[in-house]
Amino acid sequence: MAHGHGPGRCRCCCGEEAAAERGAAWALYLRIDRQRLQCLNERREGSGALVFRAWEERGDRAKFVESDDDEELLFNIPFTGSVKLKGVLVMGEDDGTHPAEMRLFRNIPHMSFDDTAREAEQTFSLNRDPLGELEYPTKIARFSNVYHLSMHFPKNFGAETTKIFYIGLKGEWAEAHRHEVTICNYEASANPADHKLEQITPQTHFIS
């Protein structure tokens, strides 16, 4: 009897540990600069920010974002440091409102829908995932120094609007180097002449 209980207890414990580990892996939402987070074409203002939360809370159906004019959604996600993005998880309804495609762009602050015409760093065909179980691995070499992530959802499975309940971001975070403060200053001064510089700088400042 005791023998039977042993493995049972161990399994339960390992299960809890695995869940905690998995939750910790999806903790990049804590590293988002929420003051500057943007969601374009959201029906309710501020609802886009609600989908970035703890992995354990992904099943909370009261928190979601729905698109407004058409099925497109665009998230601009600034981080509080440098991120190595390893995986993404997108959870929606098991119906036509679930996004069908996801395009990721790195280090292009303040993207608009016009900017999405450019080539994405990586594009994913999505499956319906009502339980938040499908992880989409990124090409880590392309997402190893991300201070700003844009996520474009251009289409869904046929509904007029798109609905997302949870977006999980998995990866590693490092503190911002002082150099990035310079980049923010360029942004704040909004001088078009600085724009070219702004795009070259991020790729060169991890040379050492």
Side-chain angles (χ1 to χ4, degrees):
M1 185 116 178
H3 180 69
H5 185 60
R9 201 172 58 197
C10 167
R11 247 201 321 274
C12 154
C13 159
C14 297
E16 277 171 27
E17 270 176 35
E21 252 173 60
R22 182 135 195 224
W26 294 95
L28 275 185
Y29 74 97
L30 294 168
R31 305 302 188 179
I32 293 172
D33 181 349
R34 288 185 179 265
Q35 299 299 312
R36 291 163 54 225
L37 175 70
Q38 273 184 321
C39 178
L40 306 188
N41 198 33
E42 59 184 7
R43 181 167 288 184
R44 259 185 317 127
E45 197 178 333
S47 57
L50 301 176
V51 303
F52 299 97
R53 56 184 188 268
W55 184 78
E56 297 82 7
E57 293 170 25
R58 70 195 183 289
D60 182 352
R61 310 301 273 187
K63 293 176 181 170
F64 64 88
V65 62
E66 187 172 5
S67 63
D68 193 10
D69 294 334
D70 54 26
E71 73 276 27
E72 282 190 88
L73 281 169
L74 175 63
F75 293 88
N76 280 316
I77 307 156
F79 293 106
T80 56
S82 173
V83 161
K84 180 189 281 187
L85 184 68
K86 296 180 175 180
V88 179
L89 194 148
V90 180
M91 180 177 153
E93 293 276 27
D94 197 6
D95 62 16
T97 64
H98 196 294
E101 190 179 296
M102 170 174 69
R103 305 170 71 232
L104 301 183
F105 300 85
R106 66 184 273 273
N107 299 348
I108 310 171
H110 314 298
M111 265 190 86
S112 68
F113 282 111
D114 291 342
D115 298 322
T116 61
R118 67 171 78 196
E119 196 181 338
E121 297 286 345
Q122 197 170 352
T123 300
F124 300 86
S125 286
L126 303 181
N127 294 306
R128 289 191 187 96
D129 186 13
L131 299 176
E133 295 172 327
L134 303 176
E135 180 183 335
Y136 298 93
T138 59
K139 294 172 180 166
I140 294 174
R142 291 191 186 180
F143 294 97
S144 61
N145 173 23
V146 180
Y147 62 86
H148 186 285
L149 177 71
S150 296
M151 307 179 80
H152 178 218
F153 297 94
K155 57 186 180 185
N156 58 25
F157 286 96
E160 281 181 27
T161 59
T162 296
K163 228 176 181 182
I164 298 174
F165 285 91
Y166 170 80
I167 294 177
L169 302 173
K170 179 182 183 178
E172 297 167 14
W173 176 86
E175 242 175 281
H177 286 228
R178 225 182 281 134
H179 202 47
E180 279 175 10
V181 176
T182 329
I183 295 164
C184 296
N185 289 344
Y186 282 129
E187 241 174 81
S189 64
N191 179 347
D194 294 330
H195 232 60
K196 212 169 266 182
L197 214 113
E198 185 188 316
Q199 281 174 11
I200 297 162
T201 321
Q203 283 145 34
T204 54
H205 74 243
F206 274 117
I207 278 171
S208 56

